[in-house]
Amino acid sequence: MTTIHVQQTPHLFGTLQAPGSKSYTHRAIIAAALSRGWSELRYPLICDDTWVTLEACQDLGARFKKEKNSIWIQGSQLIAPNEPIDC
């Protein structure tokens, strides 16, 4: 068994990247798709559900591009397509 001792320190500093949230990622994608210009979503949670949301927004007229730790979304006046959207 390993024992770890933590001592009190007057200063604590550092950086932590919290895991992405699927619900926040969905909301941010939709908000960006409804906005004018380009929006950058940093460290989104990428999973099947969020890809479907991106593709649904693309079907409505938004554009997106994936970079290393970001998704860039160009909003537009969303237009209802003639075909059903996979949600």
Side-chain angles (χ1 to χ4, degrees), residues 57-70:
C57 289
Q58 186 175 9
D59 290 345
L60 293 169
R63 295 175 50 202
F64 72 91
K65 58 184 175 181
K66 173 80 172 78
E67 292 184 355
K68 183 177 179 180
N69 295 316
S70 299

Side-chain angles (χ1 to χ4, degrees), residues 22 26 45-55 86-87:
K22 185 165 67 168
H26 284 295
L45 178 71
I46 302 297
C47 65
D48 290 343
D49 290 347
T50 53
W51 275 117
V52 169
T53 300
L54 280 166
E55 290 169 355
D86 180 13
C87 294

Side-chain angles (χ1 to χ4, degrees), residues 2-55:
T2 303
T3 304
I4 299 173
H5 296 279
V6 179
Q7 298 178 350
Q8 183 176 3
T9 179
H11 298 5
L12 181 64
F13 61 92
T15 303
L16 175 69
Q17 178 61 49
S21 162
K22 185 165 67 168
S23 62
Y24 288 164
T25 299
H26 284 295
R27 292 173 188 158
I29 290 168
I30 293 166
L34 294 170
S35 299
R36 292 182 183 174
W38 285 94
S39 299
E40 180 185 14
L41 309 183
R42 295 182 185 162
Y43 300 100
L45 178 71
I46 302 297
C47 65
D48 290 343
D49 290 347
T50 53
W51 275 117
V52 169
T53 300
L54 280 166
E55 290 169 355

